[in-house]
Amino acid sequence: MSANHASVDPHKLADKDGHFRRVASTFRDSVSSDPSAPFPAEKNRYVLYICYGCPWAHRANIVRSLKGLEDIVQLVVMGNELTSDGWLYDGKHGSAARDPLYGFTSHSQLYLKADPEYKGRYTVPTLWDKKKETIVNNESAEIIRMFYSAFDELLPPELREVNKPGGGYYPEKFRKDIDSMNEWVYDTVNNGVYKCGFATSQEAYDANVVALFESLDRLEKHMEEHGTKYLWGEHITDSDIRLYTTLVRFDVAYVTIFKCNYKQIRYDYPHLHKWLQALYWEENVETKGAFKQTTHFVPIKEGYSMATGQKIVPYGPKYPIMPLGPETR
């Protein structure tokens, strides 16, 4: 256990008033397509560290697959147990038994290799530079934006952002709409489920669970009124990727483990449910099978159970995600 984190209980994340407040990410550099940049795009130079249970890491893993970066950016998967030393390596559920680069057994060791004086939390996703042996970035929103285009010169033309139908994953024509939606979805949905699950006072829980379902109602209305397959049209955008990793965990983990049990996606939000099923089940030029292939329900349930200090992992639901019906196909 590292000295700087020895007194931190990873399961007690709320402030004294009972509210959970997420701490901003620390490493905020960028990979660039410019060969003269501090972190230029190069094949086999960077490593993406994730754990399957984390929705923030899941975003980056989806984009890595959507963009065809599997042979360019190495992937390292850790186990589901969160400790004061961060995520541990355990070799379970497709994770690595040890860090393949350095033989580390916990994620804290990577952070402290980058900065021996680091005193924050050891979070994922983490983008590592093997050449400089440091962390480039640990903010999921910024990592996925890098992945959209920074490595495009190393990819075939059809995978480059400029050639993607609809203007790419962050299209100029929807950019203001995407940014606006991302802001309130992050606060009340992506992070909102954590504000509910980690709340330690009734007041904090009540305030955040109401805000969560008001935003889900708003998203359902958006899908109904727009009548499109995805949030901003017939092509997947940044907003779809960010929302998916929360909603695919909702009925499976957040309803029970995080007490977000007022409604369920599959029963109470027909348009969002149809959207979710399409992203997960369909394998076409839009999804490329990336959403299903990167979704691992056992680590999700186990990870959240352990993160909240629970020893029992919920048995259900029978279907982690409902099978496609005729109306969805």
Side-chain angles (χ1 to χ4, degrees), residues 139-189:
E139 169 52 57
S140 66
E142 295 174 3
I143 292 173
I144 63 174
R145 295 273 174 90
M146 287 180 228
F147 283 1
Y148 291 157
S149 59
F151 296 90
D152 275 8
E153 291 302 313
L154 305 177
L155 294 171
E158 65 271 16
L159 293 177
R160 296 174 186 175
E161 185 79 346
V162 68
N163 296 325
K164 187 179 182 296
Y169 294 111
Y170 191 44
E172 186 67 39
K173 63 180 177 180
F174 291 124
R175 197 156 290 183
K176 289 184 178 179
D177 294 323
I178 288 172
D179 288 344
S180 176
M181 174 177 281
N182 286 351
E183 183 176 1
W184 60 265
V185 167
Y186 165 78
D187 183 46
T188 58
V189 181

Side-chain angles (χ1 to χ4, degrees), residues 82-281:
L82 180 60
T83 71
S84 57
D85 276 333
W87 306 99
L88 302 181
Y89 291 89
D90 59 18
K92 298 177 182 178
H93 308 303
S95 66
R98 284 179 177 271
D99 180 349
L101 271 65
Y102 304 107
F104 294 154
T105 57
S106 69
H107 201 35
S108 64
Q109 293 169 289
L110 190 77
Y111 270 77
L112 295 174
K113 184 172 181 63
D115 178 5
E117 301 302 317
Y118 180 77
K119 298 185 184 300
R121 291 190 175 274
Y122 310 114
T123 61
V124 290
T126 310
L127 188 63
W128 180 260
D129 181 357
K130 290 190 281 188
K131 185 173 289 186
K132 291 188 175 181
E133 293 194 304
T134 193
I135 294 171
V136 180
N137 198 293
N138 65 341
E139 169 52 57
S140 66
E142 295 174 3
I143 292 173
I144 63 174
R145 295 273 174 90
M146 287 180 228
F147 283 1
Y148 291 157
S149 59
F151 296 90
D152 275 8
E153 291 302 313
L154 305 177
L155 294 171
E158 65 271 16
L159 293 177
R160 296 174 186 175
E161 185 79 346
V162 68
N163 296 325
K164 187 179 182 296
Y169 294 111
Y170 191 44
E172 186 67 39
K173 63 180 177 180
F174 291 124
R175 197 156 290 183
K176 289 184 178 179
D177 294 323
I178 288 172
D179 288 344
S180 176
M181 174 177 281
N182 286 351
E183 183 176 1
W184 60 265
V185 167
Y186 165 78
D187 183 46
T188 58
V189 181
N190 301 140
N191 200 37
V193 293
Y194 285 84
K195 293 179 183 180
C196 298
F198 290 137
T200 56
S201 72
Q202 191 67 48
E203 179 274 329
Y205 169 76
D206 288 346
N208 289 298
V209 79
V210 169
L212 166 64
F213 284 99
E214 286 178 347
S215 287
L216 289 176
D217 292 345
R218 183 177 175 183
L219 285 163
E220 175 73 7
K221 185 177 180 180
H222 171 93
M223 292 298 294
E224 182 179 11
E225 291 180 346
H226 280 70
T228 54
K229 186 164 188 174
Y230 304 113
L231 286 167
W232 297 111
E234 300 307 311
H235 301 288
I236 292 169
T237 66
D238 191 73
S239 293
D240 296 289
I241 295 164
R242 292 174 185 234
L243 182 61
Y244 171 84
T245 60
T246 297
L247 294 201
V248 80
R249 287 162 170 75
F250 201 89
D251 291 357
V252 171
Y254 299 146
V255 167
T256 52
I257 301 169
F258 274 3
K259 304 179 183 68
C260 302
N261 58 352
Y262 183 61
K263 297 180 183 179
Q264 295 186 49
I265 303 301
R266 65 187 64 193
Y267 299 130
D268 302 296
Y269 295 102
H271 294 89
L272 286 175
H273 185 223
K274 183 177 179 181
W275 165 89
L276 181 64
Q277 286 180 297
L279 285 173
Y280 181 86
W281 288 112

